[in-house]
PDB file of all heavy atoms in Angstrom:
ATOM      1  N   GLY A  16      82.117 164.086 104.578  1.00  0.00           N
ATOM      2  CA  GLY A  16      80.767 163.563 104.724  1.00  0.00           C
ATOM      3  C   GLY A  16      79.702 164.653 104.733  1.00  0.00           C
ATOM      4  O   GLY A  16      78.506 164.355 104.599  1.00  0.00           O
ATOM      5  N   CYS A  17      80.109 165.922 104.856  1.00  0.00           N
ATOM      6  CA  CYS A  17      79.156 167.038 104.873  1.00  0.00           C
ATOM      7  C   CYS A  17      78.358 167.148 103.580  1.00  0.00           C
ATOM      8  O   CYS A  17      77.286 167.764 103.559  1.00  0.00           O
ATOM      9  CB  CYS A  17      79.887 168.361 105.134  1.00  0.00           C
ATOM     10  SG  CYS A  17      81.057 168.850 103.831  1.00  0.00           S
ATOM     11  N   CYS A  18      78.858 166.539 102.501  1.00  0.00           N
ATOM     12  CA  CYS A  18      78.148 166.617 101.221  1.00  0.00           C
ATOM     13  C   CYS A  18      77.034 165.574 101.124  1.00  0.00           C
ATOM     14  O   CYS A  18      76.245 165.589 100.175  1.00  0.00           O
ATOM     15  CB  CYS A  18      79.114 166.470 100.049  1.00  0.00           C
ATOM     16  SG  CYS A  18      79.779 164.804  99.857  1.00  0.00           S
ATOM     17  N   GLY A  19      76.971 164.662 102.081  1.00  0.00           N
ATOM     18  CA  GLY A  19      75.905 163.675 102.089  1.00  0.00           C
ATOM     19  C   GLY A  19      76.300 162.300 101.589  1.00  0.00           C
ATOM     20  O   GLY A  19      75.501 161.363 101.660  1.00  0.00           O
ATOM     21  N   LEU A  20      77.523 162.158 101.087  1.00  0.00           N
ATOM     22  CA  LEU A  20      78.001 160.842 100.670  1.00  0.00           C
ATOM     23  C   LEU A  20      78.472 160.077 101.902  1.00  0.00           C
ATOM     24  O   LEU A  20      79.110 160.639 102.790  1.00  0.00           O
ATOM     25  CB  LEU A  20      79.136 160.974  99.658  1.00  0.00           C
ATOM     26  CG  LEU A  20      78.762 161.626  98.324  1.00  0.00           C
ATOM     27  CD1 LEU A  20      79.984 161.732  97.419  1.00  0.00           C
ATOM     28  CD2 LEU A  20      77.653 160.859  97.621  1.00  0.00           C
ATOM     29  N   GLN A  21      78.152 158.794 101.955  1.00  0.00           N
ATOM     30  CA  GLN A  21      78.439 157.997 103.139  1.00  0.00           C
ATOM     31  C   GLN A  21      79.910 157.583 103.155  1.00  0.00           C
ATOM     32  O   GLN A  21      80.427 157.043 102.184  1.00  0.00           O
ATOM     33  CB  GLN A  21      77.507 156.777 103.151  1.00  0.00           C
ATOM     34  CG  GLN A  21      76.044 157.201 103.263  1.00  0.00           C
ATOM     35  CD  GLN A  21      75.059 156.099 102.942  1.00  0.00           C
ATOM     36  OE1 GLN A  21      75.421 154.933 102.845  1.00  0.00           O
ATOM     37  NE2 GLN A  21      73.793 156.466 102.784  1.00  0.00           N
ATOM     38  N   LEU A  22      80.566 157.822 104.274  1.00  0.00           N
ATOM     39  CA  LEU A  22      82.016 157.648 104.362  1.00  0.00           C
ATOM     40  C   LEU A  22      82.466 156.230 104.060  1.00  0.00           C
ATOM     41  O   LEU A  22      83.539 156.017 103.497  1.00  0.00           O
ATOM     42  CB  LEU A  22      82.518 158.074 105.747  1.00  0.00           C
ATOM     43  CG  LEU A  22      82.405 159.572 106.069  1.00  0.00           C
ATOM     44  CD1 LEU A  22      82.907 159.845 107.476  1.00  0.00           C
ATOM     45  CD2 LEU A  22      83.187 160.409 105.057  1.00  0.00           C
ATOM     46  N   TYR A  23      81.685 155.234 104.436  1.00  0.00           N
ATOM     47  CA  TYR A  23      82.115 153.856 104.207  1.00  0.00           C
ATOM     48  C   TYR A  23      81.949 153.439 102.744  1.00  0.00           C
ATOM     49  O   TYR A  23      82.268 152.306 102.381  1.00  0.00           O
ATOM     50  CB  TYR A  23      81.398 152.880 105.143  1.00  0.00           C
ATOM     51  CG  TYR A  23      79.893 152.988 105.182  1.00  0.00           C
ATOM     52  CD1 TYR A  23      79.104 152.449 104.171  1.00  0.00           C
ATOM     53  CD2 TYR A  23      79.267 153.620 106.247  1.00  0.00           C
ATOM     54  CE1 TYR A  23      77.725 152.541 104.212  1.00  0.00           C
ATOM     55  CE2 TYR A  23      77.876 153.720 106.300  1.00  0.00           C
ATOM     56  CZ  TYR A  23      77.113 153.177 105.276  1.00  0.00           C
ATOM     57  OH  TYR A  23      75.748 153.269 105.316  1.00  0.00           O
ATOM     58  N   ASN A  24      81.452 154.358 101.895  1.00  0.00           N
ATOM     59  CA  ASN A  24      81.349 154.071 100.461  1.00  0.00           C
ATOM     60  C   ASN A  24      82.505 154.667  99.670  1.00  0.00           C
ATOM     61  O   ASN A  24      82.469 154.704  98.440  1.00  0.00           O
ATOM     62  CB  ASN A  24      80.028 154.609  99.900  1.00  0.00           C
ATOM     63  CG  ASN A  24      78.835 153.785 100.348  1.00  0.00           C
ATOM     64  OD1 ASN A  24      78.995 152.636 100.764  1.00  0.00           O
ATOM     65  ND2 ASN A  24      77.652 154.359 100.297  1.00  0.00           N
ATOM     66  N   PHE A  25      83.534 155.144 100.383  1.00  0.00           N
ATOM     67  CA  PHE A  25      84.694 155.726  99.705  1.00  0.00           C
ATOM     68  C   PHE A  25      85.789 154.681  99.525  1.00  0.00           C
ATOM     69  O   PHE A  25      86.036 153.864 100.409  1.00  0.00           O
ATOM     70  CB  PHE A  25      85.258 156.905 100.509  1.00  0.00           C
ATOM     71  CG  PHE A  25      84.522 158.200 100.286  1.00  0.00           C
ATOM     72  CD1 PHE A  25      83.305 158.440 100.931  1.00  0.00           C
ATOM     73  CD2 PHE A  25      85.029 159.170  99.445  1.00  0.00           C
ATOM     74  CE1 PHE A  25      82.606 159.617 100.733  1.00  0.00           C
ATOM     75  CE2 PHE A  25      84.342 160.362  99.248  1.00  0.00           C
ATOM     76  CZ  PHE A  25      83.131 160.589  99.883  1.00  0.00           C
ATOM     77  N   GLY A  26      86.450 154.736  98.372  1.00  0.00           N
ATOM     78  CA  GLY A  26      87.608 153.890  98.112  1.00  0.00           C
ATOM     79  C   GLY A  26      88.887 154.655  98.405  1.00  0.00           C
ATOM     80  O   GLY A  26      88.910 155.559  99.249  1.00  0.00           O
ATOM     81  N   GLU A  27      89.950 154.307  97.686  1.00  0.00           N
ATOM     82  CA  GLU A  27      91.256 154.941  97.900  1.00  0.00           C
ATOM     83  C   GLU A  27      91.219 156.427  97.563  1.00  0.00           C
ATOM     84  O   GLU A  27      90.678 156.839  96.537  1.00  0.00           O
ATOM     85  CB  GLU A  27      92.310 154.244  97.033  1.00  0.00           C
ATOM     86  CG  GLU A  27      93.714 154.787  97.226  1.00  0.00           C
ATOM     87  CD  GLU A  27      94.757 154.031  96.411  1.00  0.00           C
ATOM     88  OE1 GLU A  27      94.381 153.045  95.744  1.00  0.00           O
ATOM     89  OE2 GLU A  27      95.928 154.438  96.435  1.00  0.00           O
ATOM     90  N   THR A  28      91.777 157.248  98.442  1.00  0.00           N
ATOM     91  CA  THR A  28      91.905 158.685  98.200  1.00  0.00           C
ATOM     92  C   THR A  28      93.049 158.941  97.225  1.00  0.00           C
ATOM     93  O   THR A  28      94.077 158.254  97.262  1.00  0.00           O
ATOM     94  CB  THR A  28      92.165 159.422  99.524  1.00  0.00           C
ATOM     95  OG1 THR A  28      91.063 159.197 100.404  1.00  0.00           O
ATOM     96  CG2 THR A  28      92.347 160.913  99.317  1.00  0.00           C
ATOM     97  N   VAL A  29      92.880 159.935  96.346  1.00  0.00           N
ATOM     98  CA  VAL A  29      93.933 160.257  95.390  1.00  0.00           C
ATOM     99  C   VAL A  29      94.300 161.732  95.487  1.00  0.00           C
ATOM    100  O   VAL A  29      93.534 162.545  96.011  1.00  0.00           O
ATOM    101  CB  VAL A  29      93.515 159.936  93.931  1.00  0.00           C
ATOM    102  CG1 VAL A  29      93.070 158.491  93.792  1.00  0.00           C
ATOM    103  CG2 VAL A  29      92.430 160.893  93.442  1.00  0.00           C
ATOM    104  N   SER A  30      95.474 162.056  94.983  1.00  0.00           N
ATOM    105  CA  SER A  30      95.911 163.446  94.857  1.00  0.00           C
ATOM    106  C   SER A  30      95.991 163.790  93.376  1.00  0.00           C
ATOM    107  O   SER A  30      96.562 163.028  92.595  1.00  0.00           O
ATOM    108  CB  SER A  30      97.281 163.648  95.513  1.00  0.00           C
ATOM    109  OG  SER A  30      97.208 163.427  96.903  1.00  0.00           O
ATOM    110  N   ILE A  31      95.424 164.932  93.004  1.00  0.00           N
ATOM    111  CA  ILE A  31      95.522 165.415  91.625  1.00  0.00           C
ATOM    112  C   ILE A  31      96.509 166.573  91.617  1.00  0.00           C
ATOM    113  O   ILE A  31      96.310 167.577  92.311  1.00  0.00           O
ATOM    114  CB  ILE A  31      94.153 165.859  91.082  1.00  0.00           C
ATOM    115  CG1 ILE A  31      93.187 164.673  91.064  1.00  0.00           C
ATOM    116  CG2 ILE A  31      94.296 166.449  89.676  1.00  0.00           C
ATOM    117  CD1 ILE A  31      91.807 164.991  90.516  1.00  0.00           C
ATOM    118  N   VAL A  32      97.579 166.419  90.854  1.00  0.00           N
ATOM    119  CA  VAL A  32      98.654 167.408  90.836  1.00  0.00           C
ATOM    120  C   VAL A  32      98.515 168.353  89.645  1.00  0.00           C
ATOM    121  O   VAL A  32      97.878 168.032  88.647  1.00  0.00           O
ATOM    122  CB  VAL A  32     100.034 166.722  90.783  1.00  0.00           C
ATOM    123  CG1 VAL A  32     100.255 165.862  92.018  1.00  0.00           C
ATOM    124  CG2 VAL A  32     100.169 165.880  89.511  1.00  0.00           C
ATOM    125  N   PHE A  33      99.112 169.532  89.775  1.00  0.00           N
ATOM    126  CA  PHE A  33      99.157 170.473  88.662  1.00  0.00           C
ATOM    127  C   PHE A  33      99.976 169.873  87.521  1.00  0.00           C
ATOM    128  O   PHE A  33     101.098 169.406  87.719  1.00  0.00           O
ATOM    129  CB  PHE A  33      99.840 171.779  89.092  1.00  0.00           C
ATOM    130  CG  PHE A  33      98.961 172.736  89.833  1.00  0.00           C
ATOM    131  CD1 PHE A  33      99.207 173.024  91.164  1.00  0.00           C
ATOM    132  CD2 PHE A  33      97.898 173.370  89.202  1.00  0.00           C
ATOM    133  CE1 PHE A  33      98.409 173.926  91.857  1.00  0.00           C
ATOM    134  CE2 PHE A  33      97.099 174.269  89.882  1.00  0.00           C
ATOM    135  CZ  PHE A  33      97.352 174.548  91.212  1.00  0.00           C
ATOM    136  N   TRP A  34      99.435 169.888  86.324  1.00  0.00           N
ATOM    137  CA  TRP A  34     100.197 169.500  85.147  1.00  0.00           C
ATOM    138  C   TRP A  34     101.104 170.635  84.707  1.00  0.00           C
ATOM    139  O   TRP A  34     100.834 171.809  84.977  1.00  0.00           O
ATOM    140  CB  TRP A  34      99.249 169.154  83.996  1.00  0.00           C
ATOM    141  CG  TRP A  34      98.674 167.775  84.076  1.00  0.00           C
ATOM    142  CD1 TRP A  34      98.972 166.799  84.966  1.00  0.00           C
ATOM    143  CD2 TRP A  34      97.672 167.229  83.199  1.00  0.00           C
ATOM    144  NE1 TRP A  34      98.230 165.663  84.711  1.00  0.00           N
ATOM    145  CE2 TRP A  34      97.432 165.897  83.639  1.00  0.00           C
ATOM    146  CE3 TRP A  34      96.964 167.725  82.099  1.00  0.00           C
ATOM    147  CZ2 TRP A  34      96.506 165.071  83.003  1.00  0.00           C
ATOM    148  CZ3 TRP A  34      96.049 166.895  81.472  1.00  0.00           C
ATOM    149  CH2 TRP A  34      95.820 165.591  81.911  1.00  0.00           C
ATOM    150  N   THR A  35     102.179 170.275  84.025  1.00  0.00           N
ATOM    151  CA  THR A  35     103.038 171.261  83.367  1.00  0.00           C
ATOM    152  C   THR A  35     103.064 170.931  81.872  1.00  0.00           C
ATOM    153  O   THR A  35     102.465 169.951  81.436  1.00  0.00           O
ATOM    154  CB  THR A  35     104.468 171.220  83.933  1.00  0.00           C
ATOM    155  OG1 THR A  35     105.104 169.983  83.544  1.00  0.00           O
ATOM    156  CG2 THR A  35     104.471 171.326  85.460  1.00  0.00           C
ATOM    157  N   ASP A  36     103.773 171.724  81.125  1.00  0.00           N
ATOM    158  CA  ASP A  36     103.871 171.481  79.683  1.00  0.00           C
ATOM    159  C   ASP A  36     104.557 170.154  79.373  1.00  0.00           C
ATOM    160  O   ASP A  36     104.287 169.521  78.353  1.00  0.00           O
ATOM    161  CB  ASP A  36     104.637 172.628  78.988  1.00  0.00           C
ATOM    162  CG  ASP A  36     103.855 173.928  79.011  1.00  0.00           C
ATOM    163  OD1 ASP A  36     102.609 173.856  79.147  1.00  0.00           O
ATOM    164  OD2 ASP A  36     104.475 175.002  78.916  1.00  0.00           O
ATOM    165  N   THR A  37     105.440 169.729  80.286  1.00  0.00           N
ATOM    166  CA  THR A  37     106.242 168.528  80.017  1.00  0.00           C
ATOM    167  C   THR A  37     105.929 167.360  80.952  1.00  0.00           C
ATOM    168  O   THR A  37     106.516 166.290  80.820  1.00  0.00           O
ATOM    169  CB  THR A  37     107.745 168.860  80.144  1.00  0.00           C
ATOM    170  OG1 THR A  37     107.999 169.387  81.459  1.00  0.00           O
ATOM    171  CG2 THR A  37     108.158 169.895  79.105  1.00  0.00           C
ATOM    172  N   TRP A  38     105.021 167.550  81.892  1.00  0.00           N
ATOM    173  CA  TRP A  38     104.722 166.503  82.890  1.00  0.00           C
ATOM    174  C   TRP A  38     103.220 166.442  83.130  1.00  0.00           C
ATOM    175  O   TRP A  38     102.639 167.340  83.731  1.00  0.00           O
ATOM    176  CB  TRP A  38     105.459 166.800  84.194  1.00  0.00           C
ATOM    177  CG  TRP A  38     105.367 165.708  85.225  1.00  0.00           C
ATOM    178  CD1 TRP A  38     105.798 164.426  85.115  1.00  0.00           C
ATOM    179  CD2 TRP A  38     104.788 165.831  86.541  1.00  0.00           C
ATOM    180  NE1 TRP A  38     105.538 163.730  86.283  1.00  0.00           N
ATOM    181  CE2 TRP A  38     104.921 164.560  87.167  1.00  0.00           C
ATOM    182  CE3 TRP A  38     104.196 166.876  87.237  1.00  0.00           C
ATOM    183  CZ2 TRP A  38     104.478 164.326  88.457  1.00  0.00           C
ATOM    184  CZ3 TRP A  38     103.744 166.638  88.533  1.00  0.00           C
ATOM    185  CH2 TRP A  38     103.895 165.368  89.133  1.00  0.00           C
ATOM    186  N   LYS A  39     102.590 165.388  82.631  1.00  0.00           N
ATOM    187  CA  LYS A  39     101.144 165.242  82.751  1.00  0.00           C
ATOM    188  C   LYS A  39     100.792 163.815  83.198  1.00  0.00           C
ATOM    189  O   LYS A  39     100.317 162.996  82.418  1.00  0.00           O
ATOM    190  CB  LYS A  39     100.467 165.569  81.419  1.00  0.00           C
ATOM    191  CG  LYS A  39     100.673 167.018  80.983  1.00  0.00           C
ATOM    192  CD  LYS A  39      99.917 167.349  79.703  1.00  0.00           C
ATOM    193  CE  LYS A  39     100.118 168.808  79.343  1.00  0.00           C
ATOM    194  NZ  LYS A  39      99.370 169.205  78.133  1.00  0.00           N
ATOM    195  N   PRO A  40     101.050 163.513  84.467  1.00  0.00           N
ATOM    196  CA  PRO A  40     100.783 162.155  84.975  1.00  0.00           C
ATOM    197  C   PRO A  40      99.288 161.842  84.979  1.00  0.00           C
ATOM    198  O   PRO A  40      98.444 162.729  85.142  1.00  0.00           O
ATOM    199  CB  PRO A  40     101.356 162.205  86.392  1.00  0.00           C
ATOM    200  CG  PRO A  40     101.266 163.645  86.785  1.00  0.00           C
ATOM    201  CD  PRO A  40     101.537 164.414  85.524  1.00  0.00           C
ATOM    202  N   GLU A  41      98.974 160.543  84.800  1.00  0.00           N
ATOM    203  CA  GLU A  41      97.581 160.102  84.778  1.00  0.00           C
ATOM    204  C   GLU A  41      97.307 158.984  85.775  1.00  0.00           C
ATOM    205  O   GLU A  41      96.217 158.415  85.788  1.00  0.00           O
ATOM    206  CB  GLU A  41      97.210 159.619  83.364  1.00  0.00           C
ATOM    207  CG  GLU A  41      97.320 160.690  82.286  1.00  0.00           C
ATOM    208  CD  GLU A  41      96.820 160.202  80.933  1.00  0.00           C
ATOM    209  OE1 GLU A  41      96.383 159.023  80.841  1.00  0.00           O
ATOM    210  OE2 GLU A  41      96.864 160.980  79.964  1.00  0.00           O
ATOM    211  N   SER A  42      98.273 158.667  86.621  1.00  0.00           N
ATOM    212  CA  SER A  42      98.127 157.511  87.516  1.00  0.00           C
ATOM    213  C   SER A  42      96.934 157.645  88.456  1.00  0.00           C
ATOM    214  O   SER A  42      96.298 156.640  88.812  1.00  0.00           O
ATOM    215  CB  SER A  42      99.416 157.304  88.320  1.00  0.00           C
ATOM    216  OG  SER A  42      99.745 158.477  89.048  1.00  0.00           O
ATOM    217  N   PHE A  43      96.608 158.872  88.852  1.00  0.00           N
ATOM    218  CA  PHE A  43      95.468 159.058  89.750  1.00  0.00           C
ATOM    219  C   PHE A  43      94.156 158.650  89.071  1.00  0.00           C
ATOM    220  O   PHE A  43      93.225 158.201  89.739  1.00  0.00           O
ATOM    221  CB  PHE A  43      95.378 160.508  90.245  1.00  0.00           C
ATOM    222  CG  PHE A  43      95.331 161.554  89.157  1.00  0.00           C
ATOM    223  CD1 PHE A  43      94.134 161.886  88.544  1.00  0.00           C
ATOM    224  CD2 PHE A  43      96.485 162.218  88.775  1.00  0.00           C
ATOM    225  CE1 PHE A  43      94.070 162.856  87.560  1.00  0.00           C
ATOM    226  CE2 PHE A  43      96.446 163.187  87.791  1.00  0.00           C
ATOM    227  CZ  PHE A  43      95.234 163.506  87.170  1.00  0.00           C
ATOM    228  N   PHE A  44      94.100 158.788  87.757  1.00  0.00           N
ATOM    229  CA  PHE A  44      92.894 158.417  87.015  1.00  0.00           C
ATOM    230  C   PHE A  44      92.649 156.909  87.099  1.00  0.00           C
ATOM    231  O   PHE A  44      91.499 156.458  87.200  1.00  0.00           O
ATOM    232  CB  PHE A  44      93.021 158.849  85.555  1.00  0.00           C
ATOM    233  CG  PHE A  44      91.755 158.693  84.752  1.00  0.00           C
ATOM    234  CD1 PHE A  44      90.759 159.654  84.799  1.00  0.00           C
ATOM    235  CD2 PHE A  44      91.552 157.585  83.959  1.00  0.00           C
ATOM    236  CE1 PHE A  44      89.576 159.512  84.077  1.00  0.00           C
ATOM    237  CE2 PHE A  44      90.386 157.423  83.223  1.00  0.00           C
ATOM    238  CZ  PHE A  44      89.397 158.393  83.292  1.00  0.00           C
TER     239      PHE A  44
END
């Protein structure tokens, strides 16, 4: 919330993982 965005306006939190040459998941998108 320090950035000024209101906490109750947030939806589901996601994790963005490091891609590799053979593994590039997009489910977080």
Side-chain angles (χ1 to χ4, degrees):
C17 64
C18 71
L20 296 179
Q21 297 166 12
L22 293 179
Y23 51 78
N24 287 340
F25 278 79
E27 183 177 357
T28 299
V29 305
S30 295
I31 298 181
V32 298
F33 279 113
W34 279 354
T35 69
D36 292 337
T37 57
W38 187 61
K39 297 184 178 182
E41 298 185 0
S42 57
F43 55 84
F44 188 82

